């Protein structure tokens, strides 16, 4: 993104994101802040200011652990619950390979940090664990709708 005035760069980013939302290029989850930093070639603080401006206008909303969403769209449950739903869907069985961090980041449009946190919570509950090699495997399937650890 070309540098205009230092004070207005975040406004240029927020306007670009607003247009992408209006044009349907972004329909639910926004890209991660890291992806936006890379895309626009600006600092993280500039991206944070742009997102704050859009949030103040009611265009987007943030969900802790899930990211930024176009207002009124998206799954607002914690990431660990959404990832645990992969085990509830009947597509996997005990002993199956669990998706990699990269696959989960892409599937849920979440940061690697958020994905690692969800994985750690699932490992702590004994749902997944280290498999053969460097991967993870399903150890047990969840029995209820619980997602929080004690």
């Amino acid at each position: 993104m070309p540098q205009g005035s230092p004070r207005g760069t975040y406004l240029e980013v927020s306007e670009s994101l607003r247009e992408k939302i209006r044009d349907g290029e972004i329909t639910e989850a926004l890209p991660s802040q890291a992806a936006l930093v890379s895309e626009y070639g600006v600092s993280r603080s500039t991206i944070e200011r742009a997102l704050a401006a859009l949030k103040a206008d009611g265009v987007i909303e943030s969900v802790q652990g899930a990211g930024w969403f176009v207002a009124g769209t998206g799954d607002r449950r914690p990431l660990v619950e959404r990832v645990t739903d992969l085990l509830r869907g009947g597509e996997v069985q005990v002993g199956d390979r669990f998706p990699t961090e990269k696959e989960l980041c892409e599937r849920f449009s979440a940061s690697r940090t958020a994905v690692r946190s969800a994985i750690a919570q699932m490992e702590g509950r004994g749902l997944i664990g280290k498999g053969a090699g460097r991967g993870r495997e399903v150890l047990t399937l969840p029995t209820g709708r619980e997602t929080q650890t004690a």
Side-chain angles (χ1 to χ4, degrees):
M1 166 148 284
Q3 289 286 63
S5 70
R7 293 179 58 188
T9 304
Y10 81 95
L11 293 173
E12 293 174 21
V13 172
S14 68
E15 187 55 34
S16 174
L17 289 170
R18 188 184 312 268
E19 288 175 14
K20 287 181 179 187
I21 292 167
R22 186 174 44 241
D23 294 344
E25 292 178 49
I26 299 174
T27 57
E28 191 173 308
L30 274 70
S32 68
Q33 287 188 18
L36 293 172
V37 164
S38 177
E39 178 180 343
Y40 289 100
V42 297
S43 69
R44 188 173 190 90
S45 64
T46 299
I47 295 299
E48 289 171 352
R49 288 184 71 192
L51 295 173
L54 290 170
K55 182 178 180 179
D57 290 344
V59 176
I60 62 173
E61 55 192 11
S62 66
V63 177
Q64 180 133 8
W68 290 90
F69 294 85
V70 175
T73 65
D75 188 344
R76 302 301 189 265
R77 294 175 301 145
L79 183 59
V80 66
E81 187 173 327
R82 293 185 290 143
V83 174
T84 302
D85 278 352
L86 294 175
L87 305 181
R88 288 190 184 103
E91 298 173 25
V92 297
Q93 301 297 318
V94 172
D96 286 354
R97 182 188 76 84
F98 191 74
T100 64
E101 289 178 4
K102 181 179 179 185
E103 291 168 339
L104 293 171
C105 288
E106 291 170 1
R107 181 170 184 163
F108 294 101
S109 297
S111 71
R112 192 167 294 263
T113 302
V115 166
R116 284 180 178 161
S117 174
I119 287 172
Q121 291 176 56
M122 293 175 73
E123 286 177 335
R125 293 197 331 252
L127 297 174
I128 60 175
K130 300 290 183 195
R134 295 179 49 187
R136 290 181 178 86
E137 68 180 37
V138 177
L139 299 178
T140 186
L141 299 176
T143 56
R145 297 292 303 175
E146 76 285 343
T147 60
Q148 300 298 320
T149 58

